[in-house]
């Protein structure tokens, strides 16, 4: 155990975005938690406490990336195109202090048990990690044999994932989708978790129809159903805007640049009168990025990184002129609200000490996760077990 996280540490003179703009503040952390916040002008003192003067640097909550292929994804062009496991250093270097892992196309050589082990490993190495059970296919691959039991009984599992409107999905019937979502919902109630269902969206003209069928065939609340990759096609994005205006959350993928990049998608949603607290951003990091022609033939493949998160934040502020406190919401507070993580996504007493120190031009200088420094002066200082 790193006992340094138990020692109180005082950060002075931070320009604090919690994510709301709090102005110049002093921040006290101890035992992995935010203990106190006071205006810098009040002259906070702590004689026996290590101090860091941040000299007006921006401090904001760490990113919560709710869509990461922690044990790799891909495989659409054969075994050699299976992407590798993610390393801790890649996550923290990108400002990610909380992560949700999931499976993708390959539910044959990738397993929920392995994903659970990786989730626990990352937690041990210093960040906060959860996972979704299931994969592209239905019935969902699970650990206990039941989506409901997985969510209710396994601490790290907070919901389920599947694929719809995609030629790689298992073409699930409406009743199968409704049953899956209902099981996740009830499992969440029993386990005091979010009990969410995340839907990978492809380029099918069916758009959100399979997801909307759940609302007609089950009584699962709309706020528990999350369509993701909604910026991958114009028609899909407009359907997603309607879905969000009617009360749902939508997840925009930062590693997708065409036809709608993530920053532009956020601005378009804002202009379309979508409640801003219903918008989330995620990277799809470590997943494959296959390119298919009109006949469904694979013509290229790559791997999604994590740098797109910070790039999107910079674009929102610098290109689109969004106030930083608003631009931060889809990376932090909004995600925490959807995932039911009351101790994440904010800098406030009682919350986990997960925060970023940013330069004036919004580059990552330092990263702290659960009160432990992971990045110092732009360099990763805590790495994974085998890095």
């Amino acid at each position: 155990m790193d006992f340094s996280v138990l020692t109180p540490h005082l950060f002075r003179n931070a320009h604090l975005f919690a994510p709301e703009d709090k102005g110049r503040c002093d921040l006290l952390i101890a035992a992995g938690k935010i203990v106190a916040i006071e205006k810098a002008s009040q002259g906070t003192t702590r004689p026996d406490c290590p101090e860091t003067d941040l000299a007006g640097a921006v401090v904001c909550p760490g990113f919560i990336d709710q869509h990461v292929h922690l044990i790799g994804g891909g495989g659409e062009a054969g075994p050699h195109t299976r992407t590798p496991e993610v390393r801790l250093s890649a996550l923290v270097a990108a400002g990610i202090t909380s992560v949700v892992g999931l499976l993708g196309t390959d539910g044959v050589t990738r397993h929920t048990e392995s994903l659970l082990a990786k989730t626990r490993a990352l937690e041990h190495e210093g960040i906060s990690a959860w996972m979704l059970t299931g994969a592209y296919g239905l019935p969902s691959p699970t650990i206990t044999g039941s989506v409901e039991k997985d969510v209710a009984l396994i601490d790290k599992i907070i919901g389920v994932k599947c694929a719809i409107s995609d030629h790689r999905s298992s073409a699930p019937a409406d009743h199968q989708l409704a049953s899956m979502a209902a099981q996740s919902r009830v499992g969440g109630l029993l386990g005091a978790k979010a009990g969410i269902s995340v839907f990978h969206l492809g380029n099918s003209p069916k758009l959100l129809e399979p997801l909307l069928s759940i609302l007609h065939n089950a009584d699962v609340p709309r706020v528990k159903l999350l369509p993701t990759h909604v910026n991958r096609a114009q028609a899909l994005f407009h359907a997603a805007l309607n879905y969000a205006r009617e009360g749902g959350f939508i997840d925009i993928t930062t590693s997708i640049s065409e036809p709608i990049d993530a920053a532009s998608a956020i601005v378009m949603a804002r202009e379309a009168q979508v409640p801003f607290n219903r918008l989330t951003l995620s990277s799809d990091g470590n997943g494959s990025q296959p390119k298919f022609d009109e006949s469904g033939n694979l013509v290229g493949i790559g791997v999604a990184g994590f740098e797109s998160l910070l790039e999107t934040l910079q674009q929102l502020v610098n290109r689109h002129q969004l106030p930083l406190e608003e631009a931060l919401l889809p990376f932090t507070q909004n995600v925490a609200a959807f995932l039911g993580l009351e101790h994440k996504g904010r800098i406030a007493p009682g919350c986990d000490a997960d925060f970023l120190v940013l330069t004036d031009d919004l580059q990552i200088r330092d990263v702290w996760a659960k009160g432990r420094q992971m990045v110092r002066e732009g360099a990763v200082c805590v790495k994974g077990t085998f890095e």
Side-chain angles (χ1 to χ4, degrees):
M1 179 179 181
D2 182 359
F3 290 99
S4 66
V5 303
L6 301 177
T7 304
H9 195 125
L10 179 62
F11 298 86
R12 291 190 181 275
N13 300 312
H15 187 169
L16 180 61
F17 288 82
E20 62 273 18
D21 188 351
K22 295 286 190 179
R24 193 71 64 91
C25 292
D26 294 340
L27 178 71
L28 181 66
I29 69 171
K33 296 287 186 179
I34 306 293
V35 176
I37 298 170
E38 292 184 359
K39 287 292 185 181
S41 60
Q42 294 179 6
T44 308
T45 58
R46 180 85 182 192
D48 300 322
C49 176
E51 296 185 8
T52 299
D53 189 348
L54 294 177
V58 168
V59 170
C60 68
F63 296 153
I64 306 171
D65 195 343
Q66 65 175 328
H67 197 111
V68 176
H69 295 270
L70 294 178
I71 60 172
E76 288 97 339
H80 64 288
T81 61
R82 296 166 77 251
T83 69
E85 287 196 7
V86 70
R87 294 183 174 186
L88 174 71
S89 60
L91 297 173
V92 296
I96 299 166
T97 56
S98 298
V99 69
V100 179
L102 36 69
L103 298 181
T105 309
D106 185 3
V108 176
T109 71
R110 310 283 191 184
H111 309 101
T112 49
E113 293 86 351
S114 296
L115 179 57
L116 177 61
K118 181 66 175 182
T119 302
R120 294 197 191 284
L122 287 169
E123 187 84 35
H124 178 82
E125 290 172 344
I127 65 172
S128 300
W130 294 269
M131 64 171 279
L132 303 179
T133 194
Y136 275 22
L138 284 179
S140 298
T142 63
I143 295 174
T144 65
S146 158
V147 169
E148 183 176 342
K149 289 181 180 179
D150 274 15
V151 178
L153 300 176
I154 300 177
D155 58 338
K156 289 297 176 185
I157 299 181
I158 59 175
V160 67
K161 176 198 175 179
C162 73
I164 59 175
S165 299
D166 192 302
H167 63 93
R168 293 167 292 173
S169 79
S170 60
D174 289 351
H175 73 276
Q176 288 180 296
L177 283 174
S179 175
M180 179 204 74
Q183 286 190 52
S184 183
R185 164 63 169 167
V186 174
L189 293 173
L190 296 175
K193 301 173 188 173
I196 56 173
S197 298
V198 175
F199 300 88
H200 160 103
L201 268 296
N203 292 319
S204 166
K206 292 180 180 179
L207 306 176
L208 295 182
E209 289 178 15
L211 187 155
L212 296 176
S213 73
I214 295 174
L215 300 175
H216 296 298
N217 292 295
D219 295 315
V220 179
R222 185 184 290 259
V223 294
K224 296 297 180 181
L225 310 176
L226 181 72
T228 188
H229 314 321
V230 297
N231 53 320
R232 74 186 318 153
Q234 293 280 358
L236 175 61
F237 185 64
H238 290 297
L241 294 181
N242 289 333
Y243 178 81
R245 277 192 293 261
E246 293 172 0
F249 285 83
I250 59 174
D251 187 52
I252 296 163
T253 303
T254 58
S255 58
I256 292 176
S257 57
E258 294 180 353
I260 308 172
D261 68 85
S264 297
I266 289 288
V267 173
M268 292 168 65
R270 191 169 177 256
E271 293 172 347
Q273 306 298 311
V274 172
F276 208 76
N277 64 347
R278 301 290 181 172
L279 303 174
T280 66
L281 289 159
S282 63
S283 70
D284 197 18
N286 222 43
S288 67
Q289 293 181 311
K291 296 181 180 179
F292 297 95
D293 62 21
E294 293 181 357
S295 300
N297 300 308
L298 186 74
V299 294
I301 194 166
V303 181
F306 301 97
E307 64 283 347
S308 60
L309 290 170
L310 183 64
E311 290 172 355
T312 300
L313 178 66
Q314 293 166 346
Q315 290 165 6
L316 285 170
V317 174
N318 298 328
R319 181 197 303 169
H320 297 289
Q321 304 299 305
L322 262 69
L324 180 58
E325 60 264 38
E326 186 173 352
L328 284 166
L329 291 172
F331 301 89
T332 59
Q333 186 171 295
N334 293 359
V335 191
F338 175 70
L339 298 178
L341 305 176
E342 296 181 357
H343 57 305
K344 297 291 186 182
R346 298 177 296 121
I347 298 179
C351 290
D352 287 352
D354 298 340
F355 58 92
L356 313 181
V357 180
L358 305 178
T359 62
D360 290 341
D361 58 351
L362 300 183
Q363 298 292 336
I364 292 174
R365 190 182 101 183
D366 304 323
V367 176
W368 291 73
K370 294 188 290 187
R372 183 184 186 191
Q373 188 164 19
M374 312 298 282
V375 174
R376 181 183 296 113
E377 297 295 337
V380 175
C381 54
V382 177
K383 296 186 178 181
T385 306
F386 296 106
E387 292 193 65

